[in-house]
Amino acid sequence: MGFEHELASVLGIKRSILVNSGSSANLVAVSALTSHKLGDRAILPGDEVITCAAGFPTTVAPIIQNGAVPVFLDNNPVTLNANLDRLEEAYVPGKTKAVMMAHTLGNPFDLERIVTFCRQHDLWLIEDNCDSLGSTYTFPAGHEEALRFRKPLAENGEAVAYPTGTFGDLSTQSFYPPHHLTLGEGGAVNVVRDMRLKVLVESFRDWGRDCWCASGKDNTCGKRFGWQLGELPEGYDHKYIYSHLGYNLKPLDIQAAIGREQLKKLERFSAARRANWETLRRGLGHLEEYFEFHLPTHATGGRRRAGSLGK
């Protein structure tokens, strides 16, 4: 079992697809949702994507690179995530196609609200999980129907905790050295549940090709020379048909090999980050009258709801 399968297993999602960086992962994720193969749900030039006003630039750049329009929600200065007070105002029927936001520095955005909003309006959701591998979000008991595609990771009688990066249609990871795992460099696009998106993600990663055969494999579809697509002659070799304007954003095998070893240490790395956060927060507690400290999502009175943080 390779790194892609192991990462998907850890997250409990359908598939993880490696790319050469987290920024490339964001580009591929947005690009995949522009595919003509998605019909009316495809993100077209001029369509709108709701996102956060301040964050890392490559959360927003792919929206613009694909000709869509980012619609910004201001940040909450305490959580550093989007302030959702004007979320409904940001939605325009017929124009809004997706929401793309990052879980800032390991602190999940309000997934309960965003997931409900996206389901209500039939929008794509891309979670930029590059800062947050190992974080979980505590979903209130009784709301599992909104996440009907998943089983609970853990239960405490009142709430259910799920890993971030498993709520949207797609999510992304970065394996740049300061993040939770490092492959030297690298990233991944996670396909949460709809395997139609796997083929599109791989197409945009791999030059835009229409064929979905793995490297070194041929004729997976069983009709390599039996297709008739577009204006190409019937029988044209499917392995050399390109249906998207794609990229070459593949990683190296050695990166995946490093990732397999790193993944074994994820739980320990995450525990160390949480411990560091707690140590710093306690150590700086006497300065509360001078600073407004950042708080985790849904924190109340300086305390956080269990399981909501994984810096």
Side-chain angles (χ1 to χ4, degrees):
M1 181 181 291
F3 177 65
E4 290 181 325
H5 292 280
E6 291 170 352
L7 178 60
S9 179
V10 165
L11 290 170
I13 48 91
K14 290 286 189 179
R15 192 64 57 88
S16 292
I17 299 166
L18 279 182
V19 293
N20 61 359
S21 74
S23 296
S24 293
N26 284 344
L27 175 60
V28 169
V30 176
S31 298
L33 299 183
T34 69
S35 173
H36 61 280
K37 296 187 178 186
L38 294 174
D40 292 341
R41 294 203 66 197
I43 298 173
L44 303 177
D47 284 341
E48 297 182 352
V49 178
I50 298 172
T51 189
C52 197
F56 200 72
T58 54
T59 305
V60 176
I63 300 171
I64 299 169
Q65 289 166 322
N66 279 286
V69 179
V71 176
F72 294 110
L73 295 176
D74 206 354
N75 291 69
N76 180 330
V78 176
T79 67
L80 301 181
N81 288 314
N83 183 332
L84 302 183
D85 289 347
R86 304 184 68 179
L87 179 61
E88 286 292 344
E89 291 181 54
Y91 173 72
V92 179
K95 293 292 288 182
T96 307
K97 288 289 186 70
V99 174
M100 182 175 185
M101 290 184 184
H103 301 294
T104 306
L105 299 176
N107 189 14
F109 57 76
D110 190 338
L111 278 160
E112 180 183 353
R113 238 178 119 180
I114 290 293
V115 168
T116 300
F117 174 79
C118 288
R119 294 294 172 94
Q120 178 184 350
H121 297 295
D122 196 26
L123 304 178
W124 299 110
L125 173 57
I126 303 175
E127 293 175 75
D128 181 338
N129 202 44
C130 291
D131 281 352
S132 302
L133 182 62
S135 293
T136 60
Y137 182 88
T138 304
F139 215 80
H143 289 233
E144 291 88 346
E145 179 58 25
L147 303 173
R148 55 189 176 275
F149 58 92
R150 301 208 61 231
K151 294 181 179 179
L153 174 71
E155 296 189 49
N156 61 12
E158 295 183 356
V160 182
Y162 298 86
T164 56
T166 67
F167 292 79
D169 299 283
L170 296 171
S171 65
T172 57
Q173 305 293 161
S174 172
F175 304 120
Y176 184 67
H179 288 142
H180 302 74
L181 302 182
T182 180
L183 281 57
E185 180 58 282
V189 180
N190 301 313
V191 179
V192 176
R193 58 189 178 279
D194 186 348
M195 287 294 281
R196 292 181 307 159
L197 300 180
K198 169 187 175 292
V199 176
L200 303 180
V201 168
E202 290 179 335
S203 177
F204 278 96
R205 182 193 66 174
D206 300 349
W207 312 288
R209 68 178 190 159
D210 199 73
C211 172
W212 56 85
C213 290
S215 181
K217 302 285 185 180
D218 289 316
N219 206 27
T220 303
C221 63
K223 55 175 188 176
R224 177 175 173 180
F225 298 99
W227 293 84
Q228 201 291 308
L229 298 174
E231 297 179 1
L232 292 172
E234 184 175 355
Y236 196 94
D237 189 347
H238 190 230
K239 196 173 181 70
Y240 298 99
I241 294 175
Y242 300 85
S243 52
H244 300 106
L245 296 176
Y247 307 92
N248 180 5
L249 301 175
K250 298 185 302 300
L252 302 174
D253 286 346
I254 192 171
Q255 291 173 282
I258 295 170
R260 296 188 72 181
E261 293 303 311
Q262 285 272 297
L263 197 58
K264 298 173 184 176
K265 305 172 185 177
L266 176 60
E267 188 173 342
R268 176 157 54 92
F269 289 164
S270 296
R273 285 171 175 260
R274 290 186 179 94
N276 290 343
W277 187 91
E278 297 284 358
T279 298
L280 288 168
R281 183 63 183 84
R282 285 195 300 270
L284 296 170
H286 64 286
L287 299 175
E288 284 183 327
E289 62 178 303
Y290 304 107
F291 297 103
E292 185 175 42
F293 289 103
H294 298 151
L295 292 175
T297 302
H298 303 306
T300 304
R303 299 181 64 82
R304 58 186 169 94
R305 196 164 77 187
S308 65
L309 185 68
K311 285 186 175 295

